[in-house]
């Protein structure tokens, strides 16, 4: 491919060099640089002296006219200056006009013969072109006129050129028409020397610019042709951009040159534009022709380069596309290689419905990503095929890579299809097994829930028998699904775990059917005519295996040594030999079913909770950092993501990575789930931080709830509820745990793990209390100290308070006893705060009450009286000097007792601490002063010396 490009580029480059070389040569010919390299800019000073000029007039035979006007200091002109000006002036007319010969007009009417003679001698001594005739206007003064006539005749032979001595302008007009002479010589031709110089310099500058452009294009074209083609995408892109930028700059310069040439044409035509009746002199017409020829050469340069650039750009574009194709191929190859371990992760079908469903969801997510990759593969294949079809300069490697991508694409598509089929079959099998197990669970629940006392009567037995037979009729589909059908239908996906689950499900089904049969026989006997009460036949304990157990009947226990859950298998024969009452077994089975229902609700709601948190974090929190969503985010929300979402990410990570997986390990032994809560109770403290931030979060939400950002996110997620409903989920979840634990405790009395369940409930309630207390603490206003210095908050609540202050020997009541103050008390380890509860306002968390700080009592300086006069719900808190006494009335005696007990406990602890410190200080004092000491029976130090 590179060889073909080099050959094509070489031919195109040679053509460009040839055409641009012709342009440069043509410009030299147009400007006649071969005969005279001088330009006006080189001799601008000499030209401005105007001792000779080319007026633009022509003789009768077309000879160009050079005029030597009156110039008193002509003799002072240096020979080199004289030669430069004449050389330049004679190089301006066209070669055809110059070939006829020049006519020189010398005006010396105000000069002397000596100066005239010097001029003639200088001209005759050196003239760079064909001089046809010299016309001299002799001096007009009588003496000089006479002298010039005499001496001219004497020295006529000294002048080697034809000279005609003229006495007047009329004589001059007989040789040259007046229209070809300037106004100084009695003609009608308008001539401005400054304009003439300006036109010449502009014309020559433009010619130099056109030639320079052609030469630069030659160099630029050579550089482009010699550029080595890159092999990577970034270099190819940079090269294409850089060369295109340089080309664009050249084109801009050429456009500027064209504009300059057009302006020069306008300047040359200016006399005609000012006076339409006038016409341009021959020199001006030649200037116009010269400019047109230069513009033509400029256009030729531009055209030649454009044709070259098209070929070169096609080469660069093809190179860029090939590099892009190679880059995309390598990138796709890497991404496709990365799909191999991901696909291998789906080799298993899962050991539970939840895991299989999770694998299906992961496969769906992977399919979405894979579809994007496959779409790009399809696009790259089409791109490669387009390159092959559009250019003959593409080698066979592109076709090979396209074939490879097509093969990998088909392989990946088939693998995804196979994986989905396997997981779908596994999910279908799990659902059918769940249907069988649910039918068994419901059957067991129905058997356990049938009232045995009512079955003693014939009517009750018939009703129970009817219920049993109706339930059996609904199970036709489950009963017809045989295990041999499962082995055949799901052969491709059955692993050891699935085989065991299928066996367990069918064993449980067979066991339940046996239980139904025995119950039906018993009920039929009871439904018959009874002569005496008959105890209904209860199902055997081994048949009443808990629906939570999938493999016979496993009782899960947690080993204290390693805190891992293990299962102890109970031999059904041993259970048969036990002396338990059948009705007790049925009751235990019922409780097991109910525990399983609670556990299922805990797991299902936990999974839903994790999914909801993920939706919020991905659909809202992540979108705040999405640059495309920035215009929709209001100013109030800028840099406030942590305020709006709090530590939701931390909560999600804990539940997703740890807590949900730990809960799932207790699926088969739900009565032990309290251990899971106790093990991770420390991590559950993160909810305190979330609840502390909730008021700020809700306040921010209310400021921005109507903004387009939240509406767009909700639309993408297809949520019916707004973000505020999902921000409340963590608060609802931590509250939900204590409800589920209470339900589990209700059905787990006497079971192993009941103690841990109760402890877990207490811990969760402790978290809720701590959250509630802290929410009240952060609502205190007006307290100037640091609440942290007061120690842990023990209790808080609302009371009626009477305050007495002792002033001198008189007690003063702040308010009458029949009108107490309503105060909210906060009991800390080191202090007691009195606050006034303010009215609630706002909505949601903004509706939380606030408290105005009123009074603080140090626990180290107060005492308590358990019983106050007048009411059993009152107690007194007073300072050590009893200068201040606060009578506190609780809402009930129970509340009073709790508070009094807690305060007494604090005071007792302080007293014991003080006594201990006093003993230590006394001991150190005696030790320092070396006094003999002993300890008496009251544990006090006694000085013996």
């Amino acid at each position: 491919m590179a060889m073909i490009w080099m050959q094509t580029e070489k031919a195109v480059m040679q053509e460009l060099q040839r055409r641009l070389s012709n342009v440069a040569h043509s410009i030299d010919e147009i400007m006649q640089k071969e005969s005279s390299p001088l330009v006006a800019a080189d001799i601008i000073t000499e030209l401005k002296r105007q001792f000779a000029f080319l007026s633009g007039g022509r003789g009768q035979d077309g000879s160009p006219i050079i005029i030597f006007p009156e110039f008193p200091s002509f003799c002072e002109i240096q020979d080199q200056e004289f030669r430069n000006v004449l050389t330049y002036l004679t190089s301006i007319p066209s070669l055809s006009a110059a070939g006829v010969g020049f006519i020189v007009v010398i005006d010396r009417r105000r000069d002397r013969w000596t100066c005239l003679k010097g001029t003639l001698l200088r001209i005759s001594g050196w003239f760079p072109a064909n001089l046809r005739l010299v016309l001299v206007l002799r001096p007009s003064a009588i003496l000089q006129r006479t002298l010039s006539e005499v001496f001219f005749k004497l020295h006529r032979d000294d002048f080697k050129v034809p000279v005609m001595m003229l006495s007047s302008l009329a004589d001059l007009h007989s040789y040259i028409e007046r229209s070809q002479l300037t106004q100084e010589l009695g003609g009608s031709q308008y001539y401005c020397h400054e304009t003439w110089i300006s036109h010449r310099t502009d014309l020559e500058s433009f010619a130099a610019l056109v030639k320079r452009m052609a030469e630069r294009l030659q160099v630029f074209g050579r550089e482009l042709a010699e550029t080595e083609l890159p092999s990577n995408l970034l270099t190819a892109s940079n090269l294409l951009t850089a060369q295109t930028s340089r080309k664009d700059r050249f084109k801009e310069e050429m456009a500027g040159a064209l504009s300059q040439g057009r302006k020069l044409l306008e300047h040359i035509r200016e006399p005609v534009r000012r006076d339409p009746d006038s016409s341009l002199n021959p020199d001006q017409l030649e200037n116009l022709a010269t400019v047109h020829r230069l513009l033509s050469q400029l256009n030729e340069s531009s055209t030649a380069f454009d044709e070259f650039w098209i070929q070169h750009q096609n080469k660069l574009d093809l190179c860029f596309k090939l590099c892009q194709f190679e880059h995309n191929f390598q990138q796709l190859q890497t991404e496709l290689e990365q799909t191999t371990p991901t696909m291998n992760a789906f080799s298993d079908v899962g050991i539970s419905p939840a895991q299989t469903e999770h694998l299906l969801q992961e496969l769906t997510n992977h399919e979405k990503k894979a579809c994007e990759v496959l779409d790009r593969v399809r696009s790259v294949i089409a791109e490669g095929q387009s390159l092959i079809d559009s250019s003959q300069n593409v080698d066979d490697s592109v076709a090979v890579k396209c074939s490879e991508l097509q093969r990998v694409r088909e392989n990946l598509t088939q693998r995804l299809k196979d994986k989905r089929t396997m997981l779908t079959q596994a999910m279908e099998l799990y659902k059918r097994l769940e249907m069988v197990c649910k039918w068994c669970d419901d059957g067991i629940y129905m058997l356990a829930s049938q009232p045995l006392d009512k079955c003693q009567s014939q009517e009750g037995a018939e009703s129970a028998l009817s219920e049993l037979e109706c339930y059996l009729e609904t199970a036709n589909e489950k009963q017809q699904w045989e295990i041999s059908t499962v082995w055949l239908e799901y052969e491709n996906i059955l692993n050891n775990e699935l085989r065991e689950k299928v066996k367990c499900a069918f064993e449980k089904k067979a066991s339940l059917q046996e239980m139904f049969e025995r119950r039906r026989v018993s009920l039929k006997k009871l439904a018959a005519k009874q002569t005496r009460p008959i105890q209904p036949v209860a199902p055997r304990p081994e048949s009443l295996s808990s629906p939570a157990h999938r493999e016979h009947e496993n009782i899960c226990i947690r080993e204290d040594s390693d805190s891992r859950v293990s299962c102890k298998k109970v031999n059904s024969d041993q259970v048969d030999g036990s002396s338990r009452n059948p009705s007790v077994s049925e009751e235990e089975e019922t409780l097991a079913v109910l525990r399983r229902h609670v556990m299922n609700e805990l797991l299902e709601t936990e999974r839903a909770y994790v999914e909801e948190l993920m939706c919020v974090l991905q659909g809202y929190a992540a979108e705040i950092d999405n640059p495309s969503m920035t215009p929709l985010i209001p100013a109030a929300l800028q840099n406030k993501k942590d305020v709006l979402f709090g530590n939701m990410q931390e909560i999600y990570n804990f539940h997703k990575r740890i807590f949900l997986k730990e809960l799932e390990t207790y699926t088969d032994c739900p009565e032990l789930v309290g251990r899971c809560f106790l093990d991770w109770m420390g991590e559950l403290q993160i909810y305190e931080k979330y609840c502390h931030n909730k008021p700020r979060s809700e306040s921010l939400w209310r400021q921005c709830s109507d903004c387009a950002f939240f509406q767009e996110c909700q639309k993408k997620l297809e949520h019916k509820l707004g973000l505020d409903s999902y921000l409340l989920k963590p608060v609802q979840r931590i509250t939900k745990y204590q409800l589920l634990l209470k339900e589990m405790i209700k059905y787990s009395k006497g079971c192993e793990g009941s103690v841990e369940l109760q402890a877990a409930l207490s811990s969760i309630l402790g978290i809720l209390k701590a959250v509630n207390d802290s929410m009240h603490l952060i609502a205190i206003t007006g307290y100037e100290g640091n609440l942290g210095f007061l120690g842990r908050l023990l209790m808080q609540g609302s009371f009626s308070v009477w305050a007495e202050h002792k002033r001198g020997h008189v007690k003063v009541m702040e308010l009458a006893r029949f009108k107490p103050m309503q105060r909210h008390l906060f009991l800390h380890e080191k202090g007691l705060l009195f606050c006034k509860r303010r009215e609630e306002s706002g909505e949601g968390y903004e509706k939380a009450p606030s408290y105005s700080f009123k009074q603080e009592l140090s626990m180290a300086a107060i005492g308590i009286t358990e019983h106050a006069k007048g009411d059993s719900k009152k107690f007194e808190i007073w300072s050590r000097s009893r200068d201040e006494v606060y009578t506190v009335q609780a809402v009930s005696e129970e509340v009073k007792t709790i508070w009094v007990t807690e305060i007494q406990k604090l005071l007792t602890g302080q007293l014991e601490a003080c006594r201990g410190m006093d003993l230590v200080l006394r001991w150190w004092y005696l030790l320092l002063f070396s006094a003999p000491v002993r300890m008496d029976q009251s544990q006090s130090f006694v000085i013996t010396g």
Side-chain angles (χ1 to χ4, degrees), residues 730-760:
V731 181
Q732 295 172 337
R733 189 60 186 168
I734 194 64
T735 307
K736 180 72 173 177
Y737 285 140
Q738 56 103 4
L739 299 176
L740 292 171
L741 286 172
K742 286 179 180 178
E743 286 292 309
M744 189 64 77
I745 291 172
K746 179 179 176 183
Y747 303 130
S748 304
K749 293 179 180 178
C751 295
E752 183 183 3
S754 60
V755 176
E756 288 88 342
L757 284 171
Q758 191 63 50

Side-chain angles (χ1 to χ4, degrees), residues 622-635 637-638 708-709:
E623 289 298 304
I624 290 181
D625 301 325
N626 185 352
S628 63
M629 298 290 282
T630 301
L632 302 180
I633 300 176
L637 191 58
Q638 296 286 347
F709 170 74

Side-chain angles (χ1 to χ4, degrees), residues 31-131:
M31 300 306 295
Q32 301 179 27
K33 293 302 179 183
E34 296 178 354
S35 58
S36 175
L38 284 174
V39 294
D42 297 337
I43 56 171
I44 189 71
T45 303
E46 293 90 329
L47 290 176
K48 285 183 177 180
R49 296 179 71 179
Q50 200 177 348
F51 61 83
F53 62 88
L54 195 65
S55 66
R58 292 290 187 270
Q60 294 179 357
D61 52 1
S63 301
I65 299 174
I66 297 177
I67 297 176
F68 285 80
E70 292 281 358
F71 196 83
S73 58
F74 184 81
C75 296
E76 299 174 3
I77 296 173
Q78 299 296 325
D79 287 342
Q80 189 60 44
E81 294 179 7
F82 177 78
R83 288 170 179 260
N84 288 341
V85 170
L86 282 187
T87 301
Y88 178 71
L89 293 179
T90 54
S91 68
I92 294 175
S94 63
L95 295 177
S96 59
V100 176
F102 287 85
I103 296 177
V104 174
V105 177
I106 302 175
D107 184 6
R108 290 293 182 267
R109 287 176 292 175
R110 298 179 182 179
D111 212 337
R112 296 174 299 172
W113 161 250
T114 54
C115 291
L116 174 60
K117 179 181 177 182
T119 302
L120 290 173
L121 290 174
R122 179 173 284 188
I123 293 173
S124 63
W126 185 86
F127 194 82
N130 179 20
L131 181 59

Side-chain angles (χ1 to χ4, degrees), residues 213 246-256 302-303 305-306:
M213 288 295 298
R246 289 187 64 187
K247 185 268 298 185
D248 291 340
R249 288 197 297 271
F250 266 106
K251 296 298 290 184
E252 289 176 4
E253 292 181 16
M254 295 181 76
S302 177
T303 302
F305 182 77
D306 287 344

Side-chain angles (χ1 to χ4, degrees), residues 646-850:
N647 63 329
M648 182 181 285
Q649 182 68 53
E650 183 182 8
I651 293 174
Y652 169 75
N653 291 339
F654 168 66
H655 284 269
K656 172 71 174 177
R657 300 172 184 173
I658 300 175
F659 200 56
L660 176 58
K661 296 178 180 178
E662 290 293 318
L663 287 175
E664 288 175 343
T665 62
Y666 292 88
T667 302
D668 294 334
C669 40
E671 64 277 2
L672 302 179
V673 75
R675 297 176 182 176
C676 180
F677 281 91
L678 292 176
D679 289 344
W680 299 101
M681 193 57 64
E683 282 69 14
L684 288 171
Q685 304 291 332
I686 58 179
Y687 280 90
E688 283 193 45
K689 181 178 178 182
Y690 187 83
C691 293
H692 288 170
N693 181 69
K694 196 67 178 68
R696 298 174 62 211
S697 173
E698 185 137 339
S699 176
L700 179 59
W701 161 255
R702 294 193 179 282
Q703 294 180 47
C704 310
S705 59
D706 295 332
C707 72
F709 170 74
F710 291 126
Q711 295 174 4
E712 182 65 21
C713 291
Q714 183 175 347
K715 181 180 178 182
K716 288 182 179 179
L717 293 172
E718 299 180 355
H719 283 176
K720 294 182 180 179
L721 299 177
L723 173 62
D724 55 331
S725 299
Y726 291 92
L727 292 176
L728 197 59
K729 293 292 182 181
V731 181
Q732 295 172 337
R733 189 60 186 168
I734 194 64
T735 307
K736 180 72 173 177
Y737 285 140
Q738 56 103 4
L739 299 176
L740 292 171
L741 286 172
K742 286 179 180 178
E743 286 292 309
M744 189 64 77
I745 291 172
K746 179 179 176 183
Y747 303 130
S748 304
K749 293 179 180 178
C751 295
E752 183 183 3
S754 60
V755 176
E756 288 88 342
L757 284 171
Q758 191 63 50
L761 176 60
S762 299
S763 298
I764 289 292
L765 291 175
I767 291 177
L768 292 176
K769 180 181 180 301
V771 169
N772 183 58
D773 290 345
S774 62
M775 294 298 289
H776 285 278
L777 271 182
I778 63 176
I780 295 177
T781 59
Y783 184 76
E784 297 181 355
N786 188 339
L787 291 173
F789 294 160
L790 298 179
R792 186 166 55 93
L793 177 64
L794 303 176
M795 304 180 72
Q796 51 91 17
S798 296
F799 298 88
S800 298
V801 179
W802 291 264
E804 294 181 2
H805 299 279
K806 184 178 180 181
R807 297 177 183 173
H809 298 286
V810 182
K811 289 184 178 180
V812 180
M813 296 287 292
E814 287 191 354
L815 292 171
R817 287 186 179 274
F818 56 85
K819 192 176 181 182
M821 298 178 292
Q822 299 302 316
R823 291 290 182 263
H824 200 89
L825 272 59
F826 293 88
L827 178 62
H828 293 262
E829 292 176 322
K830 298 181 181 179
L832 178 64
L833 301 184
F834 290 79
C835 298
K836 183 177 181 180
R837 183 184 177 113
R838 296 299 182 186
E839 293 294 330
E840 301 175 357
S841 61
E843 299 180 6
Y845 274 83
E846 293 182 354
K847 197 175 180 181
S850 64

